[in-house]
Amino acid sequence: MEEVLREADVISLHPVFDKTTYHLMNKGRPAMMKKEAILVDCSRWPVIDEVALVELLRENSMFRVGLDVFEDEPYMKPGLADMKNVVVVPHIDSAYKTVAEAEAAIVAA
C-alpha cells in the first residue's frame, strides 16, 4: 500500500469497513502521498482520520481532497469546511429509487 500511496496521482477510497480500515488513512499515510496528489473518499465509513487530514491540508495547500462522507456523519471536523483544497459533496446513494425504496421498507418494518 505504501508504494501505491507514494506513486499515485489520485487515490480513491472504497474499502469495506472493519477494524483494519478504521482510520486507514491516518496521519502517516496521506503524508506519504505526492504533494500535489488528490485523495477521494467515497467509502461511507470513517477510514480517514479527519483531524490529521485537516493538519495535512493546512501544511500542504497543493494536496487536494474530495469527500462525500465524513468521519462523524453528518458533521465535519473543525477546519475542514474552511479548506480551499477540499471539495465536499453530499453523498447521493439514497437518491437512487431502489435505495430509497429499501430504506422505506426498513423504516416501515
Side-chain angles (χ1 to χ4, degrees):
M1 179 174 182
E2 284 75 17
E3 182 179 350
V4 172
L5 291 173
R6 283 191 296 272
E7 298 296 325
D9 295 321
V10 177
I11 298 286
S12 184
L13 301 173
H14 305 268
V16 172
F17 184 64
D18 63 24
K19 64 182 178 182
T20 66
T21 58
Y22 175 79
H23 282 182
L24 177 69
M25 298 302 279
N26 53 26
K27 184 173 183 170
R29 286 194 169 133
M32 292 178 189
M33 297 172 68
K34 295 178 180 178
K35 289 190 180 277
E36 67 281 358
I38 300 170
L39 176 63
V40 178
D41 183 12
C42 300
S43 65
R44 298 296 302 153
W45 313 112
V47 298
I48 295 180
D49 177 347
E50 287 181 7
V51 172
L53 181 64
V54 169
E55 185 179 317
L56 175 67
L57 290 165
R58 284 187 176 136
E59 293 170 3
N60 180 4
S61 63
M62 292 176 63
F63 190 83
R64 291 150 298 165
V65 176
L67 302 171
D68 84 335
V69 62
F70 310 111
E71 184 174 352
D72 298 312
E73 287 277 339
Y75 308 104
M76 286 184 274
K77 293 292 190 250
L80 192 57
D82 302 325
M83 309 303 292
K84 293 185 179 187
N85 43 348
V86 176
V87 174
V88 177
V89 297
H91 190 76
I92 61 165
D93 74 335
S94 63
Y96 291 103
K97 183 179 180 200
T98 54
V99 174
E101 289 170 347
E103 289 173 341
I106 290 169
V107 170

